[in-house]
Amino acid sequence: GALATTAAHALEFPPLPEVTGKKVTADDDKTYTIKFGIGLTEESGQYRGVQYFKKYVEERSDGKIKVNIFPNAQLGGDLKMVSALQSGTLEMTSPSTSPLVNMEPKLAVFDLPFLFDDYEQADKVLDGDIGQGLLKKISDDNNGLVALGWSENGYRELTDSTGVVDSPDDLNGLKIRTMQNPIHLDIWRTLGANPTPMSFAELFTALDQGTVDGQENPWITILSSRFYEVQSNATATDHVYTPFITLMSARFWDRLPAPYQQLIRDASDEMKTYQRKVNRQLNKEAREQLKQEGMTITELTDEQRDAFRQKVLPVYKDYKDKIGQPLFDNVMKATGHQMSQ
Ligand code: KDG
């Protein structure tokens, strides 16, 4: 009903940018439809990015390519949507990289805790040789996917329903949902919690029913997916920065005329730049909104954050070989970490 759709929080959504550039035409007179599924809601930065992608593609293809967005994990969680791309029943999605590490172990590099000090570092790695190399590898691997670019999920924060968490000791026995990713499981086990991997599609219900006590996601997700309704506390841990990877079904890609393939590449690039900007703004606003919604938000002092960091450092050693060389060392170099031994 009307009430349910009027969120108590009021995020600022700036209008989508104007699309510039010539119309793109292909030799065939066919029309194409892209179903684009995402896990997050209409109030997320992810959705705003995809809305701009839609506008860009529809305008520049002169309506020949139509984009329909399916938000809120209505087509399933990230892994389910990626399989749908591979089998050709869905054209696009932009999952977190984390659930994809079984398919591409190198993506685990983004699950290393406390890797990026700031947004600039993340952008530099993703937009530079490291990030571009990973996109190419995934596209070349014949796994039914074309990897078109990065956008941002963001820095992850812990929420729980049991009490304030400001040291690893507070995590003892805490049942926490993680993404379906081995490093995330190890991070939380190493910190003393009791992690369970689960698809995003099941998360709200699991929190609501108390199957898990906590979860971790960026502020904008905690707000837009209404986790604050079922979680009383949040801790500003910033423990992992998660990228979104823009993926297209290779079956669909192969059917697209070359000028449209280029248009999709350009649109993914445009989306990346715009989405990161909006996401960062929304994330800042969300943090404030969550306080107004009554969440207790615990900030960590440098010493407190360092206690978490020190305790999870062994994870770097454990995953160094799985991530492999030279990627591991290149990322350590780009982020200024001294963790190569
Ligand atoms: O489409 C993106 C979401 O499904 C998911 O990746 C969000 O960070 C996320 C999580 O915790 O699963």
Side-chain angles (χ1 to χ4, degrees):
L3 269 180
T5 52
T6 316
H9 42 84
L11 289 165
E12 291 256 351
F13 292 109
L16 296 173
E18 290 307 313
V19 174
T20 54
K22 292 202 303 295
K23 304 267 183 245
V24 174
T25 49
D27 285 343
D28 67 1
D29 207 35
K30 285 202 192 116
T31 56
Y32 297 87
T33 302
I34 294 173
K35 295 189 292 303
F36 200 139
I38 57 172
L40 303 184
T41 73
E42 287 94 332
E43 291 185 297
S44 64
Q46 187 185 33
Y47 186 78
R48 289 303 280 180
V50 177
Q51 270 189 315
Y52 181 49
F53 178 90
K54 169 185 167 74
K55 178 175 171 177
Y56 191 94
V57 168
E58 290 182 348
E59 285 188 22
R60 289 206 60 204
S61 71
D62 211 6
K64 288 282 166 30
I65 308 179
K66 175 109 190 72
V67 181
N68 296 328
I69 313 174
F70 296 84
N72 221 353
Q74 58 185 274
L75 304 181
D78 288 344
L79 283 173
K80 189 159 176 209
M81 288 191 279
V82 170
S83 320
L85 258 56
Q86 290 169 315
S87 59
T89 57
L90 179 66
E91 287 72 38
M92 289 186 80
T93 186
S94 68
S96 293
T97 48
S98 314
L100 305 184
V101 299
N102 286 334
M103 178 190 87
E104 176 45 71
K106 291 192 184 310
L107 286 176
V109 74
F110 300 120
D111 299 303
L112 292 170
F114 302 104
L115 179 69
F116 295 130
D117 291 338
D118 50 37
Y119 288 134
E120 289 66 37
Q121 255 186 20
D123 292 353
K124 200 178 78 184
V125 168
L126 291 165
D127 296 341
D129 291 347
I130 295 173
Q132 299 312 301
L134 284 166
L135 294 178
K136 184 168 177 345
K137 180 162 193 307
I138 292 168
S139 303
D140 289 350
D141 265 356
N142 238 332
N143 51 23
L145 303 171
V146 179
L148 294 161
W150 307 103
S151 54
E152 174 170 288
N153 189 349
Y155 281 105
R156 308 181 77 83
E157 325 292 349
L158 175 72
T159 70
D160 75 278
S161 58
T162 56
V164 168
V165 174
D166 61 14
S167 83
D169 289 347
D170 299 325
L171 293 170
N172 254 323
L174 189 89
K175 280 188 278 168
I176 178 171
R177 173 272 179 177
T178 69
M179 291 190 282
Q180 292 145 300
N181 173 282
I183 305 198
H184 285 244
L185 283 169
D186 275 2
I187 288 174
W188 294 101
R189 274 193 205 114
T190 305
L191 288 169
N194 178 8
T196 314
M198 192 186 291
S199 147
F200 189 80
E202 296 164 48
L203 178 51
F204 186 90
T205 306
L207 293 168
D208 191 26
Q209 298 184 344
T211 320
V212 290
D213 306 314
Q215 66 85 42
E216 39 84 64
N217 255 295
W219 300 119
I220 181 59
T221 303
I222 299 166
L223 183 72
S224 59
S225 290
R226 298 175 166 268
F227 294 157
Y228 62 88
E229 290 180 355
V230 286
Q231 299 275 274
S232 42
N233 305 286
T235 307
T237 47
D238 286 348
H239 53 277
V240 170
Y241 174 96
T242 309
F244 282 139
I245 183 166
T246 310
L247 296 176
M248 180 175 264
S249 162
R251 291 195 189 199
F252 182 75
W253 176 261
D254 292 342
R255 286 182 20 226
L256 277 182
Y260 288 163
Q261 290 182 340
Q262 188 55 48
L263 173 60
I264 297 290
R265 285 198 185 283
D266 294 345
S268 304
D269 246 37
E270 290 277 330
M271 168 165 78
K272 173 200 78 179
T273 309
Y274 173 68
Q275 190 270 353
R276 280 180 188 164
K277 200 173 87 196
V278 173
N279 200 59
R280 287 165 196 180
Q281 186 56 39
L282 288 175
N283 214 42
K284 231 191 282 172
E285 286 172 30
R287 187 177 180 140
E288 293 313 309
Q289 295 277 340
L290 286 167
K291 288 182 196 158
Q292 287 170 33
E293 297 292 346
M295 248 193 154
T296 303
I297 297 189
T298 303
E299 311 289 343
L300 297 178
T301 62
D302 289 350
E303 289 73 26
Q304 285 172 325
R305 179 172 285 103
D306 212 49
F308 287 93
R309 190 198 307 265
Q310 291 303 331
K311 202 162 175 185
V312 289
L313 279 189
V315 167
Y316 276 75
K317 214 167 63 258
D318 297 346
Y319 284 90
K320 191 181 161 187
D321 290 343
K322 289 192 187 116
I323 291 163
Q325 296 297 351
L327 178 61
F328 185 87
D329 278 352
N330 287 343
V331 171
M332 292 304 110
K333 215 188 291 163
T335 53
H337 290 294
Q338 316 274 313
M339 287 162 179
S340 32
Q341 26 276 327

